[in-house]
Amino acid sequence: MAKIVTNKKGFKIIKLDYNEFLSTGGLSICDGCCKLMSEGYHIPVLNSSYCEKDYQEWLERAIRYDEDLSYEEMKFKQMKINLNIK
């Protein structure tokens, strides 16, 4: 089941399994390494999805910019509606 994930930098993240990625129109392929994922992380501020390894590497170097917050919120809400997350 899709789950909202917290992190130390405050990014809005949704963890999805293979079937949930398919239900959103995605192919469950990591945007970082291009490998098939059985589960992964949707990153609304990037409008991308990463496997565990690539997500952790991205999170270490990512910087949260104030000017991205409205875009992140819009993409996060769209994905929540698509996945029927309350």
Side-chain angles (χ1 to χ4, degrees), residues 28-58:
S28 196
I29 296 174
C30 176
D31 289 321
C33 65
C34 298
K35 293 182 182 173
L36 187 64
M37 301 181 290
S38 60
E39 63 181 21
Y41 299 86
H42 179 69
I43 306 167
V45 74
L46 301 178
N47 200 29
S48 292
S49 298
Y50 287 164
C51 66
E52 177 75 31
K53 178 182 173 287
D54 288 332
Y55 166 68
Q56 293 300 332
E57 289 175 2
W58 169 79

Side-chain angles (χ1 to χ4, degrees), residues 48-72:
S48 292
S49 298
Y50 287 164
C51 66
E52 177 75 31
K53 178 182 173 287
D54 288 332
Y55 166 68
Q56 293 300 332
E57 289 175 2
W58 169 79
L59 189 57
E60 279 301 310
R61 68 179 186 278
I63 299 170
R64 195 150 191 246
Y65 295 102
D66 288 341
E67 57 267 26
D68 294 338
L69 297 179
S70 63
Y71 178 81
E72 179 185 39

